[in-house]
Amino acid sequence: AELQELMTQLGVSERSVRVAISCPSATVCETEMPRTPLEDARSALRLNSVRYVRRDLTSFYLDAIELPDSAAKDGKGKKSQTMRVLVAAADKEEVLWYRTALESAKIHPEAIELSALTVVNAFQAGNAELCQKEIVVLLDIGAHSTSINLLRQGEPAMTRIMHFGGNHISEFVGSILTLQ
């Protein structure tokens, strides 16, 4: 109800949106797979995630992108037999909860993305030249989780999500202040 009221107050008539979510089940990891078309790699991850990421993601929505390093040719002019893939996943129940909340407010999500990756996309779009010249570390501290992204030549080299955020820091400081 509050979300619908906010949309009304803002006078938003177009209610198709792209949404970034931060959920406790979110996971981002890197893996190496046999070189295949990306859609085939995504299917393999959905069918047998344990083999590639050592975690059962059958009850998760997931997406994957090939990392550019693996597309580089070796010294002999042939592509490597393997490819490095960045995998992002979130529990289906959590994603559906967000989707239901949005649809209850008459908001239609065109896409739902993980905020840990959205912050990278936004930084790349606004700082393309810096991304190409420097190694960049993006630290996104949320209320319940923190994401750390390392970009090398504009591409994700490492992404980690820690289930520790601003609320934990506030609680810790509060507990210290009550002791004194």
Side-chain angles (χ1 to χ4, degrees):
E2 289 177 25
L3 187 55
Q4 188 169 10
E5 177 63 26
L6 175 64
M7 297 298 281
T8 302
Q9 287 176 2
L10 292 173
V12 177
S13 58
E14 177 59 41
R15 294 196 174 192
S16 292
V17 297
R18 298 183 67 86
V19 179
I21 61 172
S22 177
C23 54
S25 70
T27 186
V28 178
C29 60
E30 190 179 309
T31 190
E32 192 169 294
M33 301 180 69
R35 180 164 300 287
T36 61
L38 192 54
E39 197 50 47
D40 292 347
R42 288 179 180 131
S43 293
L45 286 163
R46 286 184 192 102
L47 293 172
N48 192 2
S49 59
V50 173
R51 176 178 180 191
Y52 299 106
V53 296
R54 293 179 274 315
R55 183 168 176 201
D56 183 9
L57 299 176
T58 53
S59 65
F60 284 63
Y61 287 118
L62 63 86
D63 198 2
I65 60 167
E66 182 177 357
L67 294 171
D69 291 357
S70 63
K73 294 182 178 184
D74 65 15
K76 299 175 185 170
K78 295 189 301 185
K79 283 190 174 182
S80 167
Q81 295 296 316
T82 61
M83 60 187 202
R84 285 184 32 242
V85 178
L86 186 67
V87 180
D91 184 90
K92 288 180 180 179
E93 271 188 46
E94 286 181 71
V95 174
L96 291 174
W97 182 89
Y98 283 104
R99 183 181 184 93
T100 301
L102 290 165
E103 289 175 345
S104 295
K106 297 184 176 41
I107 299 170
H108 307 287
E110 290 179 7
I112 298 176
E113 301 172 347
L114 292 178
S115 61
L117 299 180
T118 304
V119 75
V120 172
N121 295 338
F123 188 83
Q124 287 171 326
N127 301 283
E129 189 175 317
L130 178 66
C131 282
Q132 293 303 314
K133 292 181 180 179
E134 303 290 334
I135 293 177
V136 177
V137 175
L138 299 174
L139 181 65
D140 180 23
I141 302 173
H144 300 286
S145 64
T146 299
S147 66
I148 302 170
N149 292 282
L150 177 72
L151 306 179
R152 184 181 305 128
Q153 296 177 336
E155 299 298 331
M158 181 199 79
T159 300
R160 297 292 180 267
I161 299 173
M162 299 181 306
H163 298 290
F164 177 86
N167 284 353
H168 298 96
I169 295 168
S170 296
E171 288 173 10
F172 178 73
V173 170
S175 70
I176 289 174
L177 293 176
T178 59
L179 293 175
Q180 296 177 359

